[in-house]
């Protein structure tokens, strides 16, 4: 409570809180910038916080540290943890080791970089498949629009490089 007409003190930093920066939550007064999760320091929204030992927490940190243990790390726990370990094979346990790399065959590869080209980034230029940024002139490396491309010996060129290297040459 303020003494002698002074401003109330912030619950975190204990400095004066003036009306323009005041936030009321957890039955206390805070600076808007001081009302943060005790664990992750995320700025909290009043009414969307959780409390433990008179300290504010975001819902996620509260669930992880003080919620039920088990599946989902607390915030979305579906069962309680036990302190004993059961080594018996469960009929629900995944015993398939699997491989670390999933290979999907039949995907389009970029003519320039050789990496997979997905539909959203796919360009077909001169019957070849490219990523949009991989449509580059062989001579100057300038990225080009599909309509500005010219071909010579299975490579793509901009108009100026094509004219310089393969266009008609005048005789002196």
């Amino acid at each position: 409570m303020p003494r002698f007409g002074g401003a109330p003190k912030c619950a975190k930093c204990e400095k004066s809180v003036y009306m323009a920066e005041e936030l009321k939550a957890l039955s206390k007064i805070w600076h808007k910038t001081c009302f943060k999760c005790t664990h992750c320091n995320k700025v909290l929204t009043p009414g969307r916080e959780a409390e433990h030992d008179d300290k504010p927490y975001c819902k996620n940190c509260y669930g992880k540290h003080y919620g039920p243990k088990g599946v989902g790390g607390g915030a979305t726990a579906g069962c309680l943890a036990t302190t004993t370990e059961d080594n018996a094979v469960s009929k629900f346990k995944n015993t398939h080791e699997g491989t670390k790399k999933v290979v999907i065959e039949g995907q389009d590869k970029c003519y320039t970089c050789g990496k997979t080209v997905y539909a959203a980034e796919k360009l077909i230029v001169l019957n070849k498949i490219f990523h949009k940024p991989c449509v580059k002139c062989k001579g100057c490396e300038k990225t080009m629009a599909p309509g500005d491309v010219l071909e010579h010996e299975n490579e793509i060129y901009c108009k100026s490089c094509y004219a310089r290297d393969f266009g008609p040459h005048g005789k002196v």
Side-chain angles (χ1 to χ4, degrees):
M1 200 68 192
R3 291 178 33 181
F4 308 112
K9 303 295 181 194
C10 175
K12 182 170 183 168
C13 70
E14 298 181 4
K15 294 182 181 174
S16 295
V17 179
Y18 300 102
M19 290 296 288
E21 56 188 3
E22 182 180 284
L23 184 141
K24 292 180 182 177
L26 305 176
S27 303
K28 298 177 185 172
I29 295 176
W30 309 76
H31 289 108
K32 291 176 183 176
T33 56
C34 288
F35 191 58
K36 296 179 181 181
C37 174
T38 304
H39 183 71
C40 71
N41 264 350
K42 175 183 166 187
V43 175
L44 299 172
T45 304
R48 303 197 76 205
E49 78 283 347
E51 179 183 9
H52 185 79
D53 291 336
D54 272 349
K55 294 178 184 171
Y57 290 89
C58 65
K59 298 278 186 187
N60 204 19
C61 288
Y62 180 84
K64 286 179 185 174
H65 297 285
Y66 306 109
K69 305 294 183 233
V71 179
T76 57
C79 63
L80 297 176
T82 62
T83 55
T84 60
E85 187 175 324
D86 186 4
N87 291 328
V89 177
S90 167
K91 67 179 183 178
F92 300 109
K93 185 175 180 180
N94 182 3
T95 56
H96 176 67
E97 294 298 320
T99 59
K100 292 184 179 180
K101 188 174 183 181
V102 176
V103 178
I104 300 172
E105 306 242 352
Q107 291 184 332
D108 295 324
K109 301 291 182 188
C110 177
Y111 181 78
T112 303
C113 70
K115 294 182 181 176
T116 301
V117 180
Y118 300 101
E121 56 189 2
K122 183 176 182 178
L123 275 180
I124 299 175
V125 178
L126 303 173
N127 294 322
K128 295 177 185 81
I129 297 170
F130 294 90
H131 293 106
K132 290 177 184 178
C134 290
V135 180
K136 294 183 180 181
C137 173
K138 176 79 173 174
C140 66
E141 295 289 314
K142 175 180 131 185
T143 303
M144 299 179 294
D148 297 335
V149 172
L150 296 172
E151 181 183 20
H152 182 76
E153 295 179 358
N154 229 12
E155 297 294 340
I156 56 176
Y157 293 89
C158 66
K159 292 177 183 176
S160 24
C161 287
Y162 184 88
R164 181 191 66 220
D165 297 342
F166 311 110
H169 297 285
K171 294 184 182 179
V172 179

